């Protein structure tokens, strides 16, 4: 059980060095995180973009051990970075200064991209004061209002990633507003469907309960008060959100009010994809790199 991002970083370091392809790498903040990750033995970087700009910024942050793939035209840089991964030269793709839509379009490129046939989805991980282990959450950043088939893909993506991290039977809460299946509340119907899919072995092994409200998922006393015999209450590993708004608002409230730490990666591609934002701190970036290293094995 990983209790903190320090635990996650230690586990990732034990996996050996992973090669990372960075799309449009001429960004000092990204290169700072790359240097931090390289310094602790997590990665070896292949930096894709304008050679002179990369070398200039790498010198500023003190990054010395790297490889450059020079790309003159910034419109092509994302695809060239993806090619480095699809060719097997790198195991992880990371976003630099490149536009997000160009980046994801390159990931899904029919000829050189990282398609698997599954939906792309975000796996976010939070270290929350007051919770006894890292909490995995999906999907708060890619799919707005997923259908039941899309939720099946989203859950499968997360379970496969968690399996590669050592989870044998993750405890999953299919989050809704209450525990009753109500046709007027589609999320409750879809949560019950996910539980049925797991029972029928249509989804990887896990212990899943749903529909389930937040208080029941995290407070065994609340479960007992409602007369619910829960196997996951108070010990959830993975939160399955009903829609993007729920995940986005809940995650940001943790960061704002609870001083939570977080990391995130895109799943569903043939290799882990680090999306990130320019506003992400170096800690967020390095935690996301470590997460990608673990899920790439």
């Amino acid at each position: 059980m990983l209790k903190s991002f320090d635990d996650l970083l230690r586990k990732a370091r034990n996996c050996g060095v992973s090669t990372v392809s960075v799309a449009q790498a001429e960004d000092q903040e990204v290169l700072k995180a790359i240097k931090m990750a390289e310094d602790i033995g997590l990665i070896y970087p292949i930096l894709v973009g304008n050679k002179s700009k990369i070398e200039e910024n790498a010198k500023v942050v003190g990054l010395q051990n790297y490889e450059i793939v020079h790309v003159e035209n910034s419109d092509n840089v994302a695809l060239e970075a993806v090619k480095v991964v699809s060719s097997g030269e790198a195991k992880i793709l990371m976003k630099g200064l490149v536009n997000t839509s160009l980046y994801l379009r390159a990931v899904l490129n029919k000829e050189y991209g990282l398609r698997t046939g599954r939906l792309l989805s975000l796996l976010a991980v939070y270290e929350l004061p007051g919770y006894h282990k890292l909490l995995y959450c999906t999907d708060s950043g890619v799919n707005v209002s997923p259908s039941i088939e899309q939720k099946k893909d989203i859950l499968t993506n997360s379970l496969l990633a968690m399996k590669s991290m050592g989870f044998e039977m993750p405890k999953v809460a299919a989050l809704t507003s209450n525990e009753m299946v109500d046709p007027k509340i589609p999320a409750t119907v879809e949560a019950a469907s996910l539980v049925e899919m797991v029972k029928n072995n249509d989804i990887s092994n896990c212990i899943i309960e749903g529909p389930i409200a937040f208080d029941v998922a995290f407070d065994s006393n609340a479960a007992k008060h409602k007369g619910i015999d829960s196997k996951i209450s108070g010990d959830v590993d993975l939160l399955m959100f009903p829609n993007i708004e729920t995940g986005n608002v809940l995650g940001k409230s943790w960061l704002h009010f609870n001083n939570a730490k977080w990391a995130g990666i895109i799943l569903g591609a043939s290799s882990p994809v680090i999306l990130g934002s320019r506003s992400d701190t170096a800690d967020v970036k390095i935690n996301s790199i470590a997460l990608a290293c673990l899920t790439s094995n």
Side-chain angles (χ1 to χ4, degrees), residues 151 173-182 185-192 194 209-217 226 239-243 246:
K151 286 183 177 180
L175 199 65
T176 61
S177 58
N178 60 61
E179 291 74 38
M180 300 296 292
V181 177
D182 184 345
I185 308 176
T188 63
V189 178
E190 291 164 357
L194 289 173
E209 294 181 12
I212 188 169
F214 188 91
D215 58 338
V216 173
K226 291 185 177 183
L239 268 185
M240 179 78 188
F241 295 126
N243 52 45
T246 303

Side-chain angles (χ1 to χ4, degrees), residues 28 31-36 38-39 47 54-66:
Q28 284 187 25
L31 291 176
K32 283 179 187 176
I34 291 292
K35 184 180 186 303
M36 289 169 62
E38 187 183 63
D39 285 348
L47 308 177
I54 290 172
E55 288 176 337
E56 179 183 339
N57 285 286
K59 186 176 182 180
V60 171
V61 303
L63 181 65
Q64 296 179 328
N65 188 30
Y66 59 88

